[in-house]
Amino acid sequence: MTTAHQAPGETRPGGRTARTRRAVLAALSAELAEHGFAALTMERVAQRSGVHLATLYRRWRSTDKLVCELLTELSGDVPLPDTGTLPGDLRALARAIGRFYGDARTRGLIEAVVAAAARDPQAATALRDFFDERLELAGALVRRAVARGELPADTDPKAVLSALGAPFSYRILIARRPVDPGLAESTATAVLAAAEAGAYTTGAAGTGGGAADGGAPGRAD
Amino acid sequence: MTTAHQAPGETRPGGRTARTRRAVLAALSAELAEHGFAALTMERVAQRSGVHLATLYRRWRSTDKLVCELLTELSGDVPLPDTGTLPGDLRALARAIGRFYGDARTRGLIEAVVAAAARDPQAATALRDFFDERLELAGALVRRAVARGELPADTDPKAVLSALGAPFSYRILIARRPVDPGLAESTATAVLAAAEAGAYTTGAAGTGGGAADGGAPGRAD
DNA sequence: AGATTAACGCGAGCAACTTCGCGTTAGTTG
DNA sequence: CAACTAACGCGAAGTTGCTCGCGTTAATCT
């Protein structure tokens, strides 16, 4: 040990690194919102952020990885409602999801991540984990409703919530039309009726829309 | 006009053209099923099909266009059920959709088309039209139910059917888990309950999950 | 059958994307 | 504040993907 200071080989989380990171992610987000994933290039992000192209490749290696980091960055956005009743909670959450998908920034990001996930396994994992985590958190909403006796006891929270989210991603990725307010209302109403009817219970009709793992007893045909 | 034969500049639909087309699409489908969109390259399709790389670029220009042609080729696969009752029809259709998405070939294709649509407007249009057409066809199922008095008169067929399809695409593209039989059962039960409750009527709660065009009166906030 | 030409095979060329080596800047620590 | 080095900027080299021109094959029509 001479007069060595920082252990060589360690990462350095300090000022400049964080600054360029912010600049890059901001530029990426803006690019996605304005020109979409179609026009996304490392080159463009480099120019817009003022960070050199080589640096981008060094730290992120590809646009897929870049986009995937922006997704994980975007946590804690959609706030969980607690209105006291299940219909109120579902409506509020559906509207929040509608706004989330309605924003050009997040819309472009979702599209980009799904496209990235088709090619990059790491992006696929990030995508799955992101929504898994949100479903887990939002599960509290359903558990409260079960505790209040508004839903069957064996209702699967993740099934309910993925049913609430599915129409929005369908609208964006498949139908490719704008997310209008009516979709939120319709979806909230639909999921409420379905949940009350016991469509998302673990025992009866099926394992439901979200929890995939458990071995379902039925057959495929 | 010497002894000219075929009008010069016309397309030639005959034997060889069609044969290479089939070979290419078959190779593409196999590649998607085996290695997924991640590993899809013009190079690979060329080698597998035995068609020269330059020919692929000449006729399709990119993998996006290629994939998009395979989608339009895949018409008339999911058969429409007619069991006589709405619950029966919904279950049967949900199972058919489940099998459709369960197949590695179509699963890879869907993923590929969605990824392609994120970059190529033509692929986006093809994707939208494909599902739009199927929704339109399957609408008959809902209209029959309305005629039998099983559903409210102003039920929007497309809303019902996109609600039936959404959970599957969500499972594949977002949740990224296998499509199990339970999902079909759960979805059929859920959509039935929601439709009976009037969640997909044009008047009441919202315009619904599928027909996006009509001006919805509500606001986003 | 024979003439005509769209579609294909082939390899070389072009362009875009990605990586590498080196000098410089600016956090970090004693 | 002085030494140290991770992270960055920069331009050049390397790689991959895509296009072009030319000769060949095989549909199509009289």
Side-chain angles (χ1 to χ4, degrees):
Chain A
M1 47 295 267
T2 64
T3 52
H5 305 290
Q6 184 181 19
E10 295 227 334
T11 184
R12 184 181 288 189
R16 184 168 59 165
T17 302
R19 203 181 313 135
T20 61
R21 198 184 109 98
R22 271 201 312 270
V24 167
L25 292 185
L28 171 62
S29 181
E31 277 296 319
L32 283 177
E34 285 177 29
H35 309 290
F37 184 66
L40 187 66
T41 325
M42 283 295 206
E43 184 74 43
R44 292 190 71 113
V45 178
Q47 286 196 332
R48 183 156 198 160
S49 65
V51 174
H52 197 272
L53 184 66
T55 302
L56 292 183
Y57 278 111
R58 256 195 290 260
R59 282 187 63 174
W60 288 281
R61 197 166 188 90
S62 71
T63 55
D64 289 348
K65 295 280 198 299
L66 203 51
V67 145
C68 138
E69 178 153 347
L70 181 58
L71 179 73
T72 60
E73 188 72 8
L74 196 81
S75 291
D77 251 30
V78 178
L80 289 183
D82 187 0
T83 62
T85 67
L86 179 62
D89 280 359
L90 285 180
R91 270 178 65 120
L93 184 55
R95 284 176 178 174
I97 297 176
R99 280 195 301 275
F100 181 72
Y101 279 100
D103 181 15
R105 285 180 118 79
T106 53
R107 184 185 170 131
L109 176 59
I110 294 293
E111 196 172 59
V113 176
V114 172
R119 291 176 312 189
D120 180 29
Q122 187 174 324
T125 306
L127 179 59
R128 196 188 57 204
D129 290 352
F130 177 81
F131 280 94
D132 229 41
E133 187 189 352
R134 313 218 125 258
L135 255 55
E136 187 59 48
L137 282 174
L141 188 153
V142 175
R143 285 187 287 272
R144 285 199 306 266
V146 170
R148 284 192 298 257
E150 293 177 294
L151 289 181
D154 58 343
T155 299
D156 179 0
K158 283 195 180 178
V160 175
L161 290 162
S162 64
L164 196 69
F168 295 94
S169 60
Y170 182 89
R171 178 66 69 88
I172 288 200
L173 298 171
I174 309 285
R176 306 216 139 240
R177 300 190 194 281
V179 175
D180 59 288
L183 181 60
E185 302 305 320
S186 164
T187 302
T189 309
V191 170
L192 176 65
E196 285 177 345
Y200 306 121
T201 54
T202 52
T207 294
D213 304 29
R219 280 192 61 253
D221 223 11
Chain B
M1 313 94 209
T2 64
T3 54
H5 306 289
Q6 184 180 20
E10 294 227 335
T11 184
R12 184 181 288 188
R16 185 167 60 163
T17 302
R19 202 180 314 135
T20 60
R21 198 184 107 98
R22 270 201 311 271
V24 168
L25 292 185
L28 170 63
S29 182
E31 278 295 318
L32 283 177
E34 287 178 27
H35 308 290
F37 184 65
L40 187 66
T41 325
M42 282 294 206
E43 185 74 44
R44 292 191 71 111
V45 178
Q47 285 196 333
R48 183 156 198 159
S49 64
V51 174
H52 198 273
L53 184 67
T55 302
L56 291 183
Y57 277 112
R58 257 194 289 260
R59 282 186 64 173
W60 287 282
R61 197 159 191 94
S62 70
T63 55
D64 289 347
K65 295 280 197 300
L66 202 52
V67 146
C68 137
E69 179 154 345
L70 181 57
L71 179 73
T72 59
E73 188 71 8
L74 197 81
S75 291
D77 251 30
V78 177
L80 289 183
D82 188 359
T83 62
T85 67
L86 179 62
D89 280 0
L90 285 180
R91 273 178 64 118
L93 185 55
R95 285 175 177 174
I97 296 176
R99 280 194 301 276
F100 181 71
Y101 279 101
D103 181 15
R105 285 180 119 77
T106 53
R107 184 185 170 130
L109 176 59
I110 294 293
E111 197 172 57
V113 176
V114 171
R119 292 177 310 189
D120 180 30
Q122 187 176 322
T125 307
L127 180 58
R128 195 187 57 205
D129 291 351
F130 177 81
F131 281 93
D132 229 40
E133 188 190 350
R134 313 219 127 257
L135 254 54
E136 187 58 47
L137 282 173
L141 187 153
V142 176
R143 286 187 286 272
R144 283 198 307 264
V146 170
R148 284 192 298 257
E150 292 177 292
L151 289 181
D154 58 343
T155 299
D156 179 0
K158 282 194 180 179
V160 175
L161 291 163
S162 64
L164 196 69
F168 294 94
S169 59
Y170 182 90
R171 177 66 70 86
I172 288 201
L173 297 171
I174 308 283
R176 305 215 141 242
R177 299 189 195 280
V179 176
D180 59 288
L183 182 60
E185 302 304 319
S186 166
T187 303
T189 308
V191 170
L192 176 65
E196 285 177 344
Y200 306 121
T201 54
T202 52
T207 294
D213 306 28
R219 280 192 63 252
D221 230 11

